Amino acid sequence: MSAQRSIADLSADLATRAESFCRQYFPEGRKRGTYWQVGDTSGAKGQSLAIRLHSQDGRKAGAWVDYATGEYGDLIDLLHERLGSVSLKETLREARSFLGEAPCPAEPREPRKSERPDADSSNRSARARKLFAAGKPVLGTLAATYLQGRGITRLGPALRYHPRVFLRWGEDDADPPQRTPALLAKITDNRGQITGCARTYLDPSTGGLAAIESPKRILGQLHGHAIRFWSGKARSDLIVGEGLENTLSVGTAFPEFDLASCLTATHLGLFIPPPGIQRIWIARDNDEAGRNASMRLRNQLESLGIDCGDLVPSMGDFNDDLRAFGRDALRRSLFEAMKAQGLEIGDG
């Protein structure tokens, strides 16, 4: 039996005892329906990480996802994260011990303490910084082909490309990760520190998104932060958008504006504005999630004394508008939307 197959078997066996596994390694969590919910992979209290306890509707028991970071995997992955700084061999030995297939190590390692979620977050952020640093400028790469194929010309140092990024094909995939080309985007806080890295996996044969489950994933911390594109001149206005392509489409039409992409509607509503900003234009998607996120962010901005306005695409999102109508038409419609809201369009 191959090592690869033995890992798959261990993962499947752990899944049959998913609730017992959760109670042992994540005692701070709580059972809610068919899921076990806990704060993160360190075992801290909370609800961001959900572990499926039973197979249902084609979804396998033992699959998990951390909604705060976008990370997911099976129980082997989760055990590896929970133990912290151990080799895969040691993780597999711990899994076999839990299943009663092997004796416990003579000097067992303690899992990471649940009271140290900050250390776990710092570890993910450190991995994100390392990944982004390993990338190269996007011009002349598959990443540039992907963006240009969507009509986007606004780039910047927040973007990089890496030809071989680790990838698991699906959340229930028990096989070892493969390497796939990806567009990288650095997520930063208001001090400019990298807190995470967004990965957009690409298909080298088509120049489009990789044909996999969830081709867009996040490593590190996104809460309150964003991918930032500055125009090179200090301004008092900022355009804050949802998805990366959505935000860059607005930036293609408005190269003179500073941009911040929050990647999801949820995180758009959680964005923390940087100091000195006097007005924020919320470039949301044209759907209920976008409306709700815009309302949440607007309430926060108004409490801080920051003016704000809504920018809403004619179609589903601004990349749809850019590709359907072109850059000049999008620019005109955005200017008209700003004027219609009675806000003076200044240059900072």
Side-chain angles (χ1 to χ4, degrees):
M1 181 181 293
S2 68
Q4 177 176 327
R5 178 56 184 164
S6 68
I7 293 174
D9 287 344
L10 275 177
S11 175
D13 290 344
L14 288 176
T16 65
R17 299 175 58 181
E19 186 169 341
S20 295
F21 175 94
C22 292
R23 292 187 182 280
Q24 175 161 328
Y25 293 104
F26 296 91
E28 297 291 345
R30 294 291 182 270
K31 182 179 179 181
R32 291 181 171 84
T34 58
Y35 290 88
W36 189 268
Q37 289 186 284
V38 67
D40 53 34
T41 57
S42 76
K45 290 182 180 180
Q47 303 180 39
S48 294
L49 191 149
I51 306 163
R52 191 177 299 115
L53 300 177
H54 307 288
S55 298
Q56 185 178 25
D57 298 329
R59 299 288 189 173
K60 297 179 181 178
W64 61 274
V65 60
D66 187 336
Y67 291 101
T69 67
E71 294 179 293
Y72 62 82
D74 61 13
L75 293 184
I76 293 291
D77 298 315
L78 191 57
L79 181 60
H80 191 64
E81 291 288 328
R82 181 69 178 93
L83 295 175
S85 301
V86 301
S87 67
L88 177 60
K89 181 178 180 181
E90 290 173 298
T91 299
L92 298 180
R93 183 166 59 176
E94 177 72 21
R96 293 188 179 101
S97 175
F98 170 79
L99 293 169
E101 298 178 7
C104 291
E107 297 180 2
R109 289 179 179 264
E110 289 294 325
R112 287 175 297 167
K113 300 298 183 182
S114 60
E115 4 354 314
R116 298 186 62 208
D118 290 344
D120 186 64
S121 297
S122 296
N123 180 52
R124 285 198 291 260
S125 293
R127 288 161 52 197
R129 287 191 290 271
K130 183 177 180 180
L131 174 60
F132 188 77
K136 62 180 182 178
V138 298
L139 290 177
T141 70
L142 181 64
T145 300
Y146 167 69
L147 293 171
Q148 291 163 1
R150 301 189 70 142
I152 293 169
T153 58
R154 177 75 178 266
L155 305 177
L159 301 178
R160 288 187 180 176
Y161 170 74
H162 196 297
R164 291 171 55 80
V165 179
F166 277 118
L167 166 70
R168 294 190 72 114
W169 289 90
E171 69 172 36
D172 296 326
D173 185 8
D175 292 337
Q178 302 184 34
R179 290 180 180 268
T180 301
L183 167 66
L184 307 177
K186 66 177 178 181
I187 300 164
T188 57
D189 61 20
N190 285 328
R191 299 172 299 168
Q193 300 297 309
I194 297 178
T195 64
C197 181
R199 299 159 292 176
T200 301
Y201 289 100
L202 304 173
D203 185 339
S205 63
T206 65
L209 292 174
I212 58 173
E213 181 181 356
S214 303
K216 300 179 181 181
R217 306 179 188 181
I218 300 165
L219 173 63
Q221 296 300 311
L222 178 57
H223 190 288
H225 310 316
I227 301 165
R228 302 162 198 264
F229 301 86
W230 300 146
S231 61
K233 177 181 177 182
R235 293 177 179 273
S236 59
D237 281 34
L238 176 65
I239 295 175
V240 180
E242 287 191 47
L244 178 61
E245 295 88 347
N246 177 71
T247 308
L248 288 175
S249 296
V250 176
T252 294
F254 274 159
E256 68 271 32
F257 271 85
D258 290 342
L259 311 172
S261 171
C262 300
L263 296 178
T264 71
T266 297
H267 290 93
L268 174 66
L270 298 173
F271 178 68
I272 300 172
I277 293 297
Q278 299 176 16
R279 179 186 300 136
I280 284 181
W281 298 95
I282 305 172
R284 64 173 177 85
D285 288 359
N286 191 4
D287 57 21
E288 183 177 0
R291 286 190 294 274
N292 293 338
S294 177
M295 289 177 59
R296 179 171 183 175
L297 180 56
R298 177 184 288 272
N299 290 337
Q300 176 192 354
L301 296 176
E302 289 177 348
S303 70
L304 296 173
I306 299 175
D307 292 331
C308 60
D310 262 351
L311 301 176
V312 186
S314 300
M315 303 178 73
D317 61 39
F318 282 110
N319 190 243
D320 291 338
D321 282 11
L322 175 64
R323 289 188 287 175
F325 309 124
R327 184 186 69 87
D328 293 341
L330 178 57
R331 182 178 176 88
R332 287 193 296 271
S333 69
L334 288 169
F335 266 130
E336 290 170 1
M338 289 175 165
K339 293 177 181 178
Q341 293 176 72
L343 296 177
E344 178 185 356
I345 306 171
D347 62 1

